[in-house]
Amino acid sequence: AYLRMKKRTRAVLLAMPAGPDRDAVAGCLNEDGYGRVLYADTLTGLLLHVDRPGVHLILVDDGVAELKGLALASLLHNRLEDTMPPVILAETSVDAELVLGARETGVAQILVKPYDLDRDFLRMLEEHLGIA
């Protein structure tokens, strides 16, 4: 019960295009008890969300219309600096350049796509939110 209460107070921002993939992730998070699942599929929408307090984690899966993947993570890092929440970057392939870039931009984790919306996925989010 305590964990569900904590999840209700956490906001997760999904930086991904509208469609069935985003609907599936949002549905999984809502079903698991997250009270605030936010969406951004444009840079303007993303900046509106991150400029307000209260976003606790950002999942970048394909990014927004104007910026994708690591480029979007870099923009978030430069804009938010020390206040940046954990950013999880979902990518289809991982190489040394991506890992180094992710480290430089403060990405908390790289998630290899396709990923399963299972207990391990949810536990990973809880760990990055500090509620595990």
Side-chain angles (χ1 to χ4, degrees):
Y2 183 64
L3 182 60
R4 284 187 83 65
M5 184 180 73
K6 280 185 162 186
K7 288 179 182 180
R8 274 191 214 118
T9 64
R10 299 301 197 268
V12 178
L13 175 58
L14 304 178
M16 57 192 303
D21 290 339
R22 186 173 83 182
D23 293 344
V25 174
C28 174
L29 295 176
N30 287 323
E31 188 175 302
D32 197 49
Y34 287 94
R36 295 179 48 221
V37 180
L38 310 170
Y39 313 101
D41 54 10
T42 66
L43 187 55
T44 301
L46 179 98
L47 294 177
L48 284 173
H49 286 302
V50 299
D51 284 344
R52 294 185 205 137
V55 172
H56 298 95
L57 184 137
I58 303 170
L59 173 63
V60 177
D61 185 341
D62 286 337
V64 295
E66 300 86 351
L67 283 174
K68 307 292 181 201
L70 193 55
L72 181 57
S74 179
L75 176 117
L76 289 169
H77 177 71
N78 289 331
R79 184 163 186 118
L80 300 174
E81 295 177 355
D82 295 335
T83 63
M84 186 169 88
V87 172
I88 298 170
L89 183 61
E91 293 287 340
T92 53
S93 64
V94 178
D95 58 19
E97 183 178 334
L98 176 66
V99 171
L100 291 174
R103 187 175 297 154
E104 289 174 6
T105 59
V107 169
Q109 184 164 344
I110 300 171
L111 184 62
V112 179
K113 293 177 18 174
Y115 51 89
D116 294 322
L117 300 174
D118 58 7
R119 191 70 222 141
D120 290 336
F121 173 78
L122 295 170
R123 192 174 7 258
M124 174 199 59
L125 296 181
E126 291 168 5
E127 289 172 3
H128 287 296
L129 287 166
I131 59 175

